[in-house]
Amino acid sequence: MAFIEYALHGRVANEEKPLEYQDPEQSIKILGFWIFLATDMLLFGCLFATYLVLRTHTDGGLTAKQLFDVPGFATETFLLLTSSFTGGLATLAMRNRNKSAVLAWIAVTVLLGLGFLGFEVSEFAANVARGATMQRSAFLSAFYTLVGTHGLHVSIGIGWMIVTWIQIARKGITRVTARKLFVVNLYWHFLDVVWVFIFTVVYLSGVVM
Amino acid sequence: MPVWLTHFTTTYLMWNEGPMIWGSDVLILLTMLGIVVTLTRLRRWKWLWREWLTTVDHKKIGIMYLLAALIMMFRGGVDALLLRTQLAVPGNHFLSAEHYDQIFTTHGTIMILFMAMPFIFALFNIVVPLQIGARDVAFPYLNAISFWLFFFGAMLFNISFVFGGSPDAGWVSYPPLSELGFDFGPGENYYLLALQISGIGSIATGINFLVTIFKMRAPGMKLMRMPLFSWSVVAASVVIIFAFPALAIALALLTLDRVAGTHFFTILHGGDPMMFVNLFWVWGHPEVYIVILPAFGVYSEVVATFARKRVFGYSSMVLSLMLISVISYFVWAHHFFTMGAGAGVNTFFAIASMLVAIPTGVKVFNWLFTMFRGRIRLTLPMLWTIAFVPCFTIGGATGVMLAAAPADYQYHNSYFLIAHFHQVLIGGVVFGMLAGMYYWWPKVFGFMLDVRLGKIAFWLFNIGFYVCFMPQYALGFMGMQRRMYTYPTDMGWGTLNFISTIGAYIMGLGFLFIVIQVLYSIKHGERDLTGDPWDARTLEWSLPSPAPHYNFAVIPTVTERDMWWELKERKETDRLKLKSDMITPIHMPKNSGRPFLMGVSFFIAGFGLVFEWIPIAVLGLIGILLSLLFRAFEYGDEHTIPADEIRETEAALGRL
């Protein structure tokens, strides 16, 4: 029951839809979030463009090939992609109204996300120890900013997941908490997609080219 | 005076720079004192907090945007007059070169981002929900956040004048000039952070209005039955969504260069300044369409209303709006034809730029055909609309001249360009926003603006405009470059510059008359008791002026385009008449102080970053984080208006 429901002119709750879409007010928020993701995608698009322009501007410092550590970024990829899968399992459990499974899968997702961040931070620290700071060259500035912005997004996603976990633990699975879980998972999957591009455009091409 | 105090007043308050700063300090202090004293004496603090600072009502947010836009127009206008005074005669030293640089930077930035943007958002907020038959926007809480981010972004930008120094690298802020090595004051940081903060708000507004229009139209209002202003908001929102992220990145990377010592756009260590220029204009060119498209929407509403005719070529109007928003992405490099991108690239962008003239031309002809054989009433909104047509056409034609890449090598960054973009931005956007303000003023405030004073303002502003900018075309051909601080007598530019300055002052006088008109009309303006003072066409005019805060007691069902007009023609307005038993309780969003506090937090964070005072920045960031957290745990942010209360309100308005 919300003002939006009236604004949507008696289009009352629709039981046939998935839980998170049943309440029109929640469903409209999901649409808004999709459009937000479009803007976030463009944000990353601009960072990718900057990275591609500056990729070879190493100014005599370390190059991509010298810098990137294959086992390291492979592990990061594995952790993040798996976390996206477990996040999906949380959504599935939510649709089955299985609260404890939802809580468990969110917890696993958060742990995998933290693992990803841990590897990323240690990768960055190792790079800096080798003299590859973001002030060293335009390439490194672009690299740290692109990958770091993704890492920052992941950190925000983790905090957000924890907040969602608390709410589901307290309130159970309602139309509102279902929407919240769905949206944070959209965000999480989106970060996964961005990482797929980082993996190919930054790391793989960096090692190969 | 102790040494530390002298240091403080010199470094931050710039008291050593002379009377202009002292004067500003005194004026700001007096204004603030005036506001505090007035609020206290009238016991209005609680009222301010309850009715305005915490509001999520789109109509009130619209009013706040409008007020802010007019104040910023004043600030930007004073900047313009200072610039024109400096250029009035050759060899002038009215301003110092440093101040001149700062003032043209703040003039451009304020007029685009803190005047034009809030002005269009004012109309978005005031008009769209009423026009599509909704009770508010899709995300009212986010809408309030957008406003406060804009507001505190603008505040941050404006305090630079008296605290630390204004930015001075032009409104485009190209590196390497804007890099730390050449521009070490806090001014550039102010620019970067203020724009970043208000830009986040703009993205949110774009999302908000797109969802509102797609999801919250009254039943029966198909997209092709929607009023053209709302269509123009769709087009502008799409462009906002696709363009503003590029600005966010351009600003963020330059901020990193300046604060974290990276090398995106420096000359050292492989940086590439051209990357900034590209990112900036990938946003920058669409940005000018963001501000012109809603103005086109206003003209469509005004022309149809005051010619008493259905707008000519509705579908082609919609199509051309959408075409302009698409083409806007393929023209950005025309801002730097001379930077050596090569003939192929220049040709592509030249042709794309010229293409814009086609849908725009379609629109101009449609407005003319709407007027053709109409029963035209020369009201204030209509006057500004009619004045727009020749002005924008000349501006458009000189735009096509500039779009011809080889010829642009002659005009580039000359006063010809200055005259061109002022002609489209003033003749297009400002005229449009003023037309929109006059048109919807009675709907928002419930009274009409005085016509006589409005006509004086109109003529002064228009005559002033041509006197100011026509000479600048000639000056451009004579070789005068933009951002030129002063010029020697023997260039022969003196006479035309002097004429131009006179024109600027006449425009300033015109603005003054608008202010007088508003103040006069508050007291003496004719009250609008009908709700439809213009005999207009769209749904918002079926409501009382001002509309009750839930807008529609019962949401109407729309059966055709220009519904209200059609009902009046067929004498069927009873169809919208309320019956007591139709009224049910309404749920509306609750007010919240958090958006305001979030704006304050952004301001503190931004201010801390400007001076790299990290503890202050962290404090601000904590504030932002806390407001996000509290929002996450907020349930039940709505309240119910009982049916009886609605019946009472509507009965008091004589509608039940």
Side-chain angles (χ1 to χ4, degrees):
Chain A
M1 295 296 273
F3 88 97
I4 253 166
E5 201 161 314
Y6 287 85
L8 292 171
H9 322 301
R11 276 180 234 162
V12 283
N14 182 346
E15 305 277 343
E16 285 161 22
K17 287 183 179 165
L19 185 59
E20 67 276 12
Y21 282 102
Q22 284 181 4
D23 179 352
E25 193 196 1
Q26 306 307 323
S27 129
I28 208 171
K29 285 188 175 167
I30 296 175
L31 175 68
F33 194 76
W34 273 108
I35 301 178
F36 162 76
L37 283 185
T39 66
D40 215 17
M41 186 186 75
L42 288 158
L43 211 79
F44 277 107
C46 293
L47 287 175
F48 272 108
T50 309
Y51 176 79
L52 287 173
V53 166
L54 300 176
R55 194 166 56 91
T56 52
H57 296 210
T58 51
D59 187 39
L62 286 174
T63 63
K65 200 168 185 170
Q66 294 162 330
L67 195 66
F68 298 154
D69 157 48
V70 179
F73 71 74
T75 316
E76 285 166 33
T77 309
F78 176 75
L79 287 173
L80 199 67
L81 263 57
T82 313
S83 81
S84 201
F85 178 65
T86 56
L89 290 177
T91 307
L92 198 66
M94 172 268 283
R95 292 209 180 139
N96 294 331
R97 311 285 199 282
N98 188 343
K99 180 178 158 184
S100 50
V102 172
L103 293 178
W105 284 123
I106 298 178
V108 174
T109 310
V110 166
L111 288 177
L112 287 168
L114 283 171
F116 166 85
L117 272 187
F119 272 90
E120 185 159 87
V121 169
S122 67
E123 179 201 330
F124 281 10
N127 290 346
V128 171
R130 291 169 68 193
T133 62
M134 78 189 298
Q135 291 83 7
R136 176 62 190 83
S137 68
F139 154 65
L140 288 166
S141 300
F143 166 74
Y144 283 114
T145 306
L146 170 57
V147 182
T149 303
H150 177 267
L152 187 68
H153 273 72
V154 171
S155 318
I156 293 170
I158 289 172
W160 190 356
M161 286 244 180
I162 293 170
V163 170
T164 313
W165 192 94
I166 298 171
Q167 292 182 59
I168 293 178
R170 274 184 174 172
K171 305 231 169 210
I173 298 170
T174 65
R175 283 178 183 152
V176 177
T177 53
R179 185 268 303 168
K180 290 191 175 195
L181 177 72
F182 186 76
V183 165
V184 73
N185 257 315
L186 274 185
Y187 183 72
W188 198 257
H189 295 316
F190 163 76
L191 295 181
D192 213 44
V193 173
V194 173
W195 182 262
V196 170
F197 280 91
I198 289 179
F199 177 74
T200 42
V201 173
V202 178
Y203 287 106
L204 272 189
S205 338
V207 178
V208 176
M209 284 157 80
Chain B
M1 231 172 15
V3 182
W4 64 268
L5 195 61
T6 326
H7 175 77
F8 183 79
T9 56
T10 313
T11 318
Y12 296 110
L13 300 180
M14 303 168 293
W15 282 359
N16 54 334
E17 283 190 19
M20 207 150 81
I21 298 290
W22 306 339
S24 308
D25 282 339
V26 172
L27 281 178
I28 289 172
L29 275 180
L30 283 179
T31 313
M32 275 163 49
L33 214 68
I35 293 172
V36 171
V37 168
T38 315
L39 284 172
T40 313
R41 284 186 85 184
L42 299 176
R43 300 170 183 278
R44 282 300 178 102
W45 283 104
K46 214 171 202 170
W47 166 83
L48 181 71
W49 176 256
R50 274 213 195 133
E51 300 286 320
W52 297 97
L53 303 189
T54 60
T55 189
V56 293
D57 180 343
H58 69 97
K59 298 180 285 300
K60 285 185 177 168
I61 290 176
I63 291 172
M64 291 194 287
Y65 269 124
L66 180 66
L67 205 63
L70 290 173
I71 292 170
M72 286 295 108
M73 196 192 266
F74 174 74
R75 158 85 212 258
V78 171
D79 283 349
L81 291 184
L82 289 170
L83 298 176
R84 280 316 316 171
T85 308
Q86 163 63 26
L87 291 173
V89 287
N92 199 3
H93 294 284
F94 164 70
L95 296 172
S96 69
E98 288 78 18
H99 277 155
Y100 186 81
D101 290 353
Q102 295 182 355
I103 292 171
F104 71 64
T105 302
T106 53
H107 167 71
T109 313
I110 286 177
M111 284 303 200
I112 293 279
L113 285 140
F114 301 127
M115 188 283 284
M117 288 303 277
F119 221 139
I120 65 163
F121 290 159
L123 294 187
F124 281 26
N125 271 287
I126 287 167
V127 180
V128 169
L130 298 177
Q131 208 167 46
I132 64 170
R135 295 216 164 103
D136 207 315
V137 294
F139 313 117
Y141 180 86
L142 184 68
N143 197 25
I145 293 180
S146 288
F147 173 76
W148 291 112
L149 290 191
F150 148 73
F151 180 86
F152 283 103
M155 288 284 275
L156 190 63
F157 190 83
N158 276 280
I159 58 160
S160 67
F161 191 73
V162 291
F163 196 85
S166 297
D168 55 3
W171 86 279
V172 295
S173 188
Y174 283 177
L177 176 63
S178 54
E179 291 280 2
L180 212 52
F182 304 96
D183 199 341
F184 43 82
E188 239 356 81
N189 291 356
Y190 269 120
Y191 166 94
L192 293 167
L193 290 153
L195 265 58
Q196 189 71 275
I197 291 171
S198 66
I200 298 169
S202 301
I203 292 182
T205 303
I207 296 173
N208 212 336
F209 278 86
L210 198 65
V211 176
T212 305
I213 292 176
F214 279 165
K215 284 289 181 186
M216 296 179 64
R217 296 189 311 279
M221 184 176 275
K222 297 180 181 151
L223 281 174
M224 292 308 273
R225 282 179 188 161
M226 205 162 66
L228 278 169
F229 180 75
S230 292
W231 260 114
S232 74
V233 175
V234 172
S237 298
V238 169
V239 186
I240 287 173
I241 287 164
F242 282 92
F244 266 80
L247 175 71
I249 290 299
L251 297 171
L253 300 187
L254 188 53
T255 310
L256 281 175
D257 270 6
R258 292 179 59 90
V259 176
T262 55
H263 293 282
F264 286 101
F265 311 127
T266 57
I267 302 292
L268 292 167
H269 301 298
D272 183 357
M274 276 309 293
M275 194 60 208
F276 178 89
V277 179
N278 275 293
L279 284 172
F280 184 87
W281 286 112
V282 165
W283 161 78
H285 201 84
E287 162 66 15
V288 296
Y289 293 150
I290 290 167
V291 292
I292 194 73
L293 288 170
F296 287 172
V298 172
Y299 297 131
S300 300
E301 302 290 340
V302 169
V303 161
T305 298
F306 296 109
R308 293 176 195 259
K309 272 175 71 188
R310 180 174 245 216
V311 84
F312 183 90
Y314 175 91
S315 322
S316 64
M317 283 299 218
V318 172
L319 187 70
S320 45
L321 280 174
M322 298 326 273
L323 271 177
I324 293 171
S325 63
V326 173
I327 300 173
S328 73
Y329 288 98
F330 300 99
V331 300
W332 83 85
H334 72 211
H335 292 270
F336 41 96
F337 279 145
T338 55
M339 286 196 195
V345 172
N346 279 2
T347 308
F348 176 87
F349 284 98
I351 292 173
S353 307
M354 291 176 196
L355 278 181
V356 179
I358 297 172
T360 316
V362 168
K363 297 192 78 71
V364 172
F365 278 113
N366 282 348
W367 289 314
L368 292 176
F369 289 142
T370 310
M371 284 188 243
F372 183 64
R373 289 192 174 156
R375 282 160 290 163
I376 293 177
R377 286 172 292 164
L378 286 178
T379 56
L380 288 175
M382 192 61 176
L383 278 178
W384 286 98
T385 303
I386 291 174
F388 145 83
V389 173
C391 196
F392 195 75
T393 309
I394 300 170
T398 54
V400 175
M401 287 170 74
L402 283 157
D408 181 65
Y409 276 66
Q410 287 300 314
Y411 325 126
H412 184 77
N413 272 357
S414 71
Y415 262 76
F416 186 83
L417 166 81
I418 303 296
H420 156 72
F421 75 69
H422 280 89
Q423 188 144 27
V424 279
L425 284 171
I426 296 177
V429 180
V430 176
F431 284 18
M433 291 303 110
L434 290 174
M437 181 183 86
Y438 284 121
Y439 184 58
W440 281 296
W441 189 280
K443 181 51 59 194
V444 184
F445 296 102
F447 64 88
M448 313 283 284
L449 287 172
D450 186 74
V451 178
R452 200 171 45 92
L453 287 167
K455 284 196 175 162
I456 296 173
F458 169 79
W459 286 109
L460 283 174
F461 203 87
N462 268 273
I463 294 168
F465 174 82
Y466 287 98
V467 175
C468 181
F469 290 103
M470 291 304 118
Q472 295 187 9
Y473 282 118
L475 282 168
F477 284 138
M478 290 159 76
M480 184 165 164
Q481 290 296 300
R482 79 191 293 194
R483 293 175 182 153
M484 192 171 255
Y485 161 54
T486 189
Y487 52 90
T489 317
D490 53 11
M491 296 304 291
W493 300 337
T495 315
L496 286 174
N497 267 306
F498 193 75
I499 295 173
S500 179
T501 302
I502 293 174
Y505 274 92
I506 299 176
M507 287 171 83
L509 211 58
F511 179 79
L512 209 63
F513 268 91
I514 294 177
V515 177
I516 296 171
Q517 177 195 21
V518 170
L519 296 178
Y520 175 86
S521 308
I522 290 175
K523 203 143 190 198
H524 306 286
E526 186 195 327
R527 305 290 125 175
D528 169 32
L529 302 171
T530 60
D532 185 15
W534 307 119
D535 194 9
R537 314 176 70 83
T538 42
L539 274 184
E540 72 270 31
W541 303 104
S542 71
L543 294 171
S545 305
H549 78 280
Y550 48 78
N551 296 352
F552 295 88
V554 173
I555 304 278
T557 301
V558 177
T559 47
E560 54 236 292
R561 203 181 289 159
D562 290 346
M563 165 103 158
W564 179 237
W565 175 260
E566 294 296 332
L567 291 183
K568 284 190 290 187
E569 287 286 278
R570 285 188 248 134
K571 312 225 177 317
E572 286 176 13
T573 46
D574 280 358
R575 260 175 59 194
L576 294 184
K577 209 159 171 147
L578 297 173
K579 287 180 203 74
S580 185
D581 57 337
M582 288 156 67
I583 292 172
T584 49
I586 297 176
H587 298 252
M588 291 299 286
K590 266 188 207 160
N591 283 358
S592 171
R594 229 177 289 116
F596 175 78
L597 296 176
M598 200 167 173
V600 173
S601 307
F602 265 97
F603 179 85
I604 295 170
F607 186 77
L609 274 175
V610 165
F611 292 94
E612 296 175 44
W613 294 335
I614 300 305
I616 295 185
V618 170
L619 195 74
L621 287 176
I622 291 173
I624 297 167
L625 217 61
L626 281 178
S627 42
L628 289 173
L629 264 181
F630 276 109
R631 173 65 175 170
F633 287 103
E634 184 176 39
Y635 284 80
D637 59 344
E638 286 170 353
H639 66 105
T640 310
I641 312 174
D644 283 334
E645 194 185 319
I646 301 164
R647 283 192 199 103
E648 265 168 44
T649 315
E650 294 291 326
L653 290 164
R655 293 166 59 83
L656 199 68

